[in-house]
């Protein structure tokens, strides 16, 4: 008889849906939990049962241990899967499940304490002879002690929150002068994300590879590894692209690193899925960073190259079964690459985005992990990742090309995402050649964000065609050839166009006084697929109209189109320099860095907002006096909300 029958997934979004898929295939019933912000979320719709556990902020819902345990009791669930993030590596949560008689689908509380805390894990690994990065993991968390330890370690230094991951509470500090401010920022972010401001310090290894080893262990003393994943492509210590196997790891190095990881798991009687993370230099020397005592975001690439379902293995191990395979049974076949699609705007400093997804059409050629649909809301309270796209192939380049093509075809409209940056990264010669390190995005950011003038022009021509047909109807009931003057904004850039009909569904378009182009509409421009031709070349796009706003996916990119034809043209001397500081995204105020009446300089930090678990400092738009603060710590604000006013001093 199974050790459990109904599984509560203590998480949200794509990982909750992922766990449900395997749980149902194995015959288990599933229970979703949700905050009030997620009442209509996809993971709630797909579960057999669902229980509301509180308000939108994570501390009031997905981090509320008592509420989750109560939800399990109310629903009759007898097991809990934590997913990743939130409480997945929280020993108190694992202990609370144990105390409530619930099977925790993960390691024991003792193992989480031993390896889930970065400082404790590092001390344990040092005692076991595992190579570790020089650093400080002491109890004294005073600024003076930490600054002194940073000097001892040597610059640059990495500050890391002990309680969590995902880049939260991590800062790279280049010199002593910046240390105090960066420390305060890291501690504040860690406290809000994990409820614990404790940090460790490590010497920063410049431009290494980030290699992690997937381990699995059962309660019968068996432990194996499933090879490595290369997670080197990162931004702000958050992974962007992951792949298996690593282009930098050969069979001998894989065996060495795998043996280290398995030994670590056995040393603490580990049970379930876990990951040992290492930094690898060009001389094949590696250093232990941390152990993640949970399933990883990037587990699908390991599934693709091993043919295993890691969630199924988790459930079998948690039910008391022995691992169904030995180390000799593990085979790494082919290659797999994953990208993380995030609701953020790379062109605006990667600001997180929230709002309504007006259209969602994942490519049928990829494995896409998501919890999305047309009209889905992306709340501002949680992580910015909204989907994972995975491709596999016989070779690395085959997997890369498939992922690049599928990513271009994926339609995600309604709010900005990092989709164009992901395409640029996959196509970049350094990544294509297998040479990307953790410095990849930083070293090549300008190229990854560079404008594509030709693509922008094609999109603007399509925009003019859509506005013309939207305004005139198609086919036009009037057989006239009078030109139509249009004015519109495409992704914030204002264009003018003169569109002249040249026969049934054919138009001459003069964009921004450039040479005329010939466009033809080949299919009705309703919401959904639109077919057209530009200068004789046929193409298609996906279009969603919302009043004066149109969202369109074309040429692998999402665009926002706003019709300004009937909007008054602003005077050249209007706007700007008004001294109003506006919120750059939906978020919560976590710090006020100035008071009303203070004299401030242009660019001086004034307000810190937290959005999608990251902190963003907002600075004075000009020099002057703080005339008004319209927010307080804890205030939830919408994008463009005025948070402060700066008057002349």
């Amino acid at each position: 008889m199974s050790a459990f029958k109904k599984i509560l997934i203590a998480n949200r979004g794509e990982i909750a849906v992922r766990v449900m898929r395997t749980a149902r295939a194995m015959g288990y019933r599933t229970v979703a939990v949700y905050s009030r912000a997620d009442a209509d979320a996809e993971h709630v719709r797909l579960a057999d049962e669902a229980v509301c556990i509180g308000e939108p902020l994570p501390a009031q819902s997905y981090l509320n241990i008592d509420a989750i345990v109560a939800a399990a009791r109310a629903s009759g669930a007898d097991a809990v899967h934590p997913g990743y993030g939130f409480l997945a590596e929280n020993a108190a949560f694992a202990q609370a499940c144990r105390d409530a008689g619930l099977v925790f689908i993960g390691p024991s509380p003792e193992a989480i304490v031993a390896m889930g805390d970065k400082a404790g894990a590092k001390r344990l690994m040092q005692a076991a002879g595992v190579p570790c990065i020089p650093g400080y993991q002491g109890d004294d968390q005073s600024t003076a002690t930490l600054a002194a330890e940073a000097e001892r370690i040597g610059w640059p230094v990495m500050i890391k929150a002990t309680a969590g991951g995902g880049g939260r509470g991590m800062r790279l500090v280049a010199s002593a002068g910046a240390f105090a401010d960066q420390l305060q920022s890291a501690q504040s972010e860690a406290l809000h994300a994990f409820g614990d401001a404790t940090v460790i310090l490590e010497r920063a290894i410049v431009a290494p590879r980030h290699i992690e080893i997937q381990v699995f262990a059962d309660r019968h003393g068996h432990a194996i590894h499933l090879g490595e994943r290369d997670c080197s492509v990162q931004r702000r210590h958050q992974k962007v692209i992951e792949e298996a196997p690593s282009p930098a790891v050969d069979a001998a190095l894989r065996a060495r690193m795998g043996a280290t990881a398995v030994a670590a798991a056995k040393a603490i009687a580990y049970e379930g899925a876990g990951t040992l993370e290492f930094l690898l230099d060009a001389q094949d020397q590696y250093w232990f960073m941390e152990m993640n005592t949970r399933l990883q975001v990037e587990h699908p690439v390991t599934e693709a190259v091993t043919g295993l379902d890691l969630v199924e293995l988790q459930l079998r191990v948690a039910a008391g079964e022995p691992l169904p395979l030995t180390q000799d049974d593990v085979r790494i076949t082919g290659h797999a690459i994953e990208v993380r699609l995030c609701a953020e705007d790379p062109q605006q400093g990667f600001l997180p985005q929230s709002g309504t997804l007006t259209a969602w059409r994942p490519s049928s050629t990829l494995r896409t992990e998501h919890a999305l649909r047309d009209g889905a809301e992306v709340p501002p309270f949680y992580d910015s990742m909204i989907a994972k796209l995975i491709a596999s192939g016989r070779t690395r380049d085959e997997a890369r090309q498939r992922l690049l093509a599928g990513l271009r075809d994926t339609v995600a409209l309604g709010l900005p995402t990092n989709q164009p940056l992901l395409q640029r990264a996959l196509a970049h010669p350094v990544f294509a050649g297998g040479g990307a390190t953790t410095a990849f995005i930083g070293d090549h950011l300008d190229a990854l964000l560079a404008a594509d003038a030709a693509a922008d022009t094609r999109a603007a021509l399509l925009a003019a065609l859509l506005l013309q047909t939207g305004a005139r109807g198609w086919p036009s009931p009037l057989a006239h050839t009078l030109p139509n003057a249009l004015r519109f904004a495409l992704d914030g850039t204002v264009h003018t166009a003169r569109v002249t009909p040249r026969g049934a569904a054919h138009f001459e378009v003069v964009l921004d006084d450039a040479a005329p182009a010939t466009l033809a509409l080949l299919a009705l421009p309703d919401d959904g697929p639109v077919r057209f031709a530009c200068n004789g070349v046929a193409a298609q796009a996906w279009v969603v109209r919302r009043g004066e706003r149109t969202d369109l996916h074309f040429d692998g990119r999402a665009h926002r189109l706003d019709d300004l034809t009937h909007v008054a043209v602003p005077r050249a001397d209007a706007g700007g320099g008004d001294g109003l500081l506006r919120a750059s995204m939906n978020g919560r105020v976590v710090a006020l860095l100035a008071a009303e009446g203070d004299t401030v300089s242009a660019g001086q930090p004034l307000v810190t907002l937290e959005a999608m678990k990251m902190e963003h400092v907002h600075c004075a738009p000009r020099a002057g006096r703080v005339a008004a603060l319209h927010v307080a710590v804890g205030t939830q604000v919408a994008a463009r909300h005025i948070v402060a006013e700066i008057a002349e001093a």
Side-chain angles (χ1 to χ4, degrees):
M1 185 174 178
S2 175
F4 48 88
K5 296 180 180 179
K6 184 185 289 189
I7 302 171
L8 180 144
I9 297 98
N11 218 295
R12 64 179 301 278
E14 62 87 18
I15 184 55
V17 173
R18 164 71 187 95
V19 173
M20 288 176 196
R21 185 170 68 244
T22 290
R24 279 185 160 174
M26 296 178 67
Y28 294 109
R29 303 280 288 172
T30 60
V31 180
V33 293
Y34 63 95
S35 73
R36 297 194 188 281
D38 278 340
D40 195 39
E42 196 71 358
H43 76 280
V44 176
R45 292 184 173 205
L46 294 177
D48 295 308
E49 301 171 54
V51 180
C52 181
I53 53 171
E55 298 303 316
L57 290 178
Q60 300 169 333
S61 50
Y62 297 107
L63 293 175
N64 187 331
I65 294 174
D66 291 342
I68 294 173
V69 171
R73 288 197 179 104
S75 63
D78 46 4
V80 174
H81 193 301
Y84 44 68
F86 295 128
L87 295 170
E89 295 180 279
N90 188 301
F93 181 49
Q95 185 63 52
C97 290
R98 177 191 283 176
D99 293 343
L102 302 169
V103 175
F104 182 75
I105 302 172
S108 66
E110 293 79 11
I112 295 176
V113 168
M115 295 297 275
D117 176 85
K118 291 182 176 67
K122 193 170 180 182
R123 286 191 290 265
L124 184 63
M125 291 296 99
Q126 286 173 331
V130 175
C132 295
I133 303 170
Y136 171 77
Q137 49 274 346
D139 295 331
D140 188 341
Q141 292 285 298
S142 67
T143 300
T145 295
L146 290 169
E149 289 295 329
E151 286 284 359
R152 177 187 62 80
I153 294 165
W155 308 100
V157 162
M158 187 71 73
I159 302 171
K160 289 185 176 182
T162 65
R168 266 80 68 183
M170 292 181 68
R171 297 292 187 275
L172 176 63
V173 188
S175 63
F179 184 79
D181 287 344
Q182 295 281 40
L183 174 64
Q184 189 279 329
S185 178
Q187 290 173 325
S188 173
E189 194 169 84
L191 184 63
H192 287 105
F194 314 116
D196 186 349
T198 308
V199 300
I200 65 171
L201 305 178
E202 290 179 346
R203 179 183 299 161
I205 308 299
V206 179
R209 288 194 184 253
H210 183 134
I211 306 295
E212 59 188 32
I213 305 292
Q214 175 74 63
V215 296
F216 249 98
D218 61 28
R219 67 186 61 171
H220 307 286
H222 307 130
I224 60 174
H225 72 85
L226 303 180
E228 82 284 353
R229 295 183 289 258
D230 193 316
C231 308
S232 299
V233 180
Q234 304 176 6
R235 194 194 73 81
R236 283 193 68 180
H237 315 298
Q238 289 187 299
K239 299 163 186 174
V240 177
I241 304 176
E242 303 103 345
E243 59 183 306
S246 168
V249 174
D250 59 19
L253 181 57
R254 180 176 302 118
R256 261 201 305 144
M257 297 182 75
T260 298
V262 168
K266 288 185 173 181
I268 58 169
Y270 194 80
E271 180 181 328
T275 303
L276 278 290
E277 303 208 355
F278 299 92
L279 293 181
L280 175 70
D281 68 16
Q283 289 72 47
D284 286 350
Q285 183 175 356
Y286 59 90
W287 292 273
F288 170 80
M289 287 196 301
E290 63 189 27
M291 183 177 188
N292 291 310
T293 54
R294 53 169 168 81
L295 195 67
Q296 294 281 90
V297 175
E298 55 273 18
H299 74 272
V301 295
T302 296
E303 293 183 325
V305 298
T306 61
L308 300 170
D309 183 328
L310 300 197
V311 175
E312 179 181 345
L313 286 180
Q314 282 189 298
L315 300 186
R316 293 194 181 283
V317 166
E321 297 181 24
L323 282 171
L325 72 168
T326 67
Q327 191 65 61
D328 290 341
D329 297 324
V330 177
R331 296 286 183 272
I332 308 295
T333 304
H335 204 97
I337 307 176
E338 171 184 293
V339 294
R340 301 188 185 193
L341 186 67
C342 296
E344 61 187 17
D345 189 349
Q347 298 294 343
Q348 300 296 323
F350 293 87
L351 285 176
Q353 305 291 311
S354 56
T356 303
L357 200 64
T358 57
W360 171 246
R361 297 293 184 280
S363 169
S364 61
T365 65
L366 303 179
R367 171 180 173 178
T368 303
E369 298 290 345
H370 67 94
L372 304 172
R373 64 180 187 278
D374 291 355
E377 288 297 318
V378 178
F381 310 103
Y382 315 117
D383 193 87
S384 63
M385 188 185 77
I386 57 174
K388 305 180 313 201
L389 287 67
I390 306 100
S392 56
R394 293 168 299 174
T395 66
R396 182 177 186 270
D397 201 55
E398 186 175 279
R400 185 184 67 85
Q401 293 282 13
R402 285 178 176 172
L403 184 54
L404 185 55
L407 181 59
R408 286 177 58 85
D409 291 342
T410 295
V411 176
L413 295 178
L415 64 170
T417 72
N418 63 340
Q419 187 175 8
L421 178 136
L422 295 173
Q423 293 176 50
R424 290 278 184 89
L426 290 171
H428 196 282
V430 171
F431 181 82
T437 69
T438 55
F440 172 75
I441 287 183
D443 287 349
H444 303 289
L445 187 59
D446 289 345
L448 298 177
L449 297 180
D452 184 335
D456 290 343
T457 297
R458 291 193 298 271
L461 287 169
L462 171 60
L465 178 64
L466 292 173
L467 291 181
Q468 170 71 17
T469 55
R472 300 287 188 180
W474 182 80
S476 174
L478 301 176
H480 63 71
T481 58
L482 297 177
N484 187 27
L486 302 172
R487 182 171 175 272
F488 59 90
L490 188 67
D491 303 326
T493 299
V494 177
H495 298 275
T496 59
R498 188 174 68 255
V499 183
T500 305
R502 296 301 189 200
H506 285 70
F507 306 89
E508 179 185 272
V509 180
V510 176
L511 179 70
D512 298 330
D513 297 322
T518 301
L519 280 86
L521 191 61
L522 306 178
L524 288 173
D526 295 331
D527 282 9
V530 170
R531 293 186 63 244
F532 69 102
C534 181
N535 293 329
V537 179
Q540 62 182 20
W542 194 278
V543 175
V544 179
R545 297 176 186 269
R546 294 290 183 270
E548 297 302 304
R549 169 179 170 174
T550 300
D551 294 318
L552 61 134
H553 175 94
F554 172 57
D555 211 11
R557 297 167 59 194
H559 301 277
R560 171 173 173 165
L561 168 61
D562 293 285
D563 187 0
L564 305 178
T565 302
H566 302 293
V567 177
V569 178
R571 293 181 5 233
D573 60 347
D578 58 5
L580 300 180
L581 177 61
R582 295 173 171 85
S584 57
M585 79 291 283
N586 295 341
R588 183 171 65 94
V589 178
V590 295
L592 296 178
L593 308 175
E596 290 186 358
D598 287 357
T599 299
V600 296
S601 56
Q604 180 176 329
L606 295 184
V607 178
T608 302
L609 293 185
E610 181 188 51
M612 293 182 169
K613 299 199 274 186
M614 302 295 283
E615 291 191 357
H616 304 268
V617 177
H618 289 53
C619 300
R622 69 179 187 184
R625 175 180 54 84
V626 180
L629 287 171
H630 297 290
V631 294
V633 172
T635 301
Q636 191 73 37
V637 298
R640 307 302 296 161
H641 179 91
I642 297 172
V643 297
E645 298 182 35
I646 309 300
E648 292 185 4

